[in-house]
Amino acid sequence: MKILVIDTNHTVLVDSLREAGFIVDEDYHSSKEKIEEKIDQYGGLILRSRFPIDRSFIEKATKLKWIGRVGAGLENIDESFAAEKGIVLFNSPEGNRTSVGEHAIGMLLMLMHHLRRADLEVRNGIWRREQNRGDELAGKTVGIIGYGNMGNAFAKRLQGFDVEVICYDILRNKGNEFAQQVSLEELFLRTDILSLHTPQTPLTLGMINTNFINQFRRPFYFINTARGKSVVSKDLIEALENGKVLGAALDVFDFEKSSFEGIQKNDFNEDYQYFIKSDKVVLAPHIAGWTHQSKYKLAAKIVDKILQWNVEHSKD
């Protein structure tokens, strides 16, 4: 089988596939149109988020058996049309879940202990202790929405912080020793800290809005390491201003390109100008799953799934 790789990844990906006997071509620079002209030569395609794999692209990929997305989400692929064409989709959320869990903890501690603001002040010769008095995690209830690989990794890393962890998921029987699964109504009632770990789907687009926020019984801290388009930014800003949201840790934003790359300062709209200036907000450039270790694990997991698929289908 010939495989086309269109995004750079850890070298283990291409090296391992070639060692397994696949013919692997790499094209990291051609336009989508140019790649569409030759995609009919390939049985496998590997990417991160360079461009959408939409219906028109898939129609041209007449020999394609599978698509490997080196990452967690699959929203840049037309999943339903791929399924209609019999194309299998692989992703690798197992590869960066540890990174996401650790990152969410780090952002939360920065937020609750005012570390971003305190660091900037000390660097500028400002010494304010009382104004930077923090809030402890201990005794709080952490609510997690979306209890898959990422939500579970975050809950696991909360062990030892003397917190209660609850989770909500559209699938049943997702709770485990790290989090008690509850109804959405109970999540609204008990949560002090809300962390979002959902994929981008029609159900999650704009999910965190004024109506949703106002259903929480008490003010809460908010963390988003999932997808930016799940949050209505203007509604979050309103909640920050009126105190319903005590602070927000944001690793993702709705203005991001589908590739998650190439954002410049002039891409920030009015909402994000607010986030930049607010001392109630901690920001990061979509790096929750972005460690040296996750780079290797994301690629290695995709290789494992491809090789397993190949073994299963070599018997046919």
Side-chain angles (χ1 to χ4, degrees), residues 61-80:
T62 53
K63 294 181 182 178
L64 207 58
K65 301 296 184 184
W66 51 258
I67 299 171
R69 200 255 155 171
V70 185
L74 291 168
E75 69 269 16
N76 63 326
I77 302 171
D78 188 331
E79 294 185 61
S80 59

Side-chain angles (χ1 to χ4, degrees), residues 74-197:
L74 291 168
E75 69 269 16
N76 63 326
I77 302 171
D78 188 331
E79 294 185 61
S80 59
F81 192 61
E84 187 179 319
K85 292 293 186 180
I87 298 171
V88 177
L89 303 182
F90 302 121
N91 60 342
S92 51
E94 310 91 339
N96 63 353
R97 61 189 175 191
T98 297
S99 178
V100 170
E102 291 183 1
H103 186 96
I105 293 284
M107 291 192 86
L108 178 59
L109 292 174
M110 281 187 69
L111 188 65
M112 295 181 68
H113 289 268
H114 309 302
L115 295 179
R116 171 188 170 275
R117 182 175 67 201
D119 176 78
L120 290 172
E121 288 176 353
V122 173
R123 290 174 189 273
N124 285 283
I126 301 168
W127 193 267
R128 302 196 312 163
R129 297 183 68 216
E130 186 57 38
Q131 295 87 338
N132 286 307
R133 190 181 288 274
D135 194 7
E136 294 180 5
L137 261 173
K140 302 287 196 300
T141 297
V142 180
I144 298 172
I145 297 182
Y147 203 64
N149 280 283
M150 307 307 168
N152 188 75
F154 178 54
K156 182 178 180 180
R157 280 150 190 83
L158 284 166
Q159 307 305 300
F161 278 99
D162 195 22
V163 295
E164 186 174 16
V165 186
I166 57 177
C167 65
Y168 170 76
D169 196 284
I170 59 173
L171 300 177
R172 294 185 177 185
N173 302 317
K174 296 291 286 183
N176 58 14
E177 69 270 32
F178 305 127
Q180 175 197 4
Q181 188 165 3
V182 299
S183 67
L184 197 54
E185 291 71 24
E186 189 169 350
L187 188 96
F188 290 142
L189 184 67
R190 296 168 59 185
T191 295
D192 298 300
I193 297 158
L194 177 67
S195 191
L196 196 61
H197 295 279

Side-chain angles (χ1 to χ4, degrees), residues 12-13 16-17 22 46 90-92 94 296-312:
V12 69
L13 190 148
S16 297
L17 291 174
F22 292 99
I46 296 175
F90 302 121
N91 60 342
S92 51
E94 310 91 339
Y296 171 84
K297 289 185 287 185
L298 284 165
K301 286 291 182 182
I302 286 292
V303 171
D304 289 346
K305 291 177 181 182
I306 292 168
L307 296 182
Q308 181 62 37
W309 179 92
N310 193 57
V311 167
E312 292 172 357

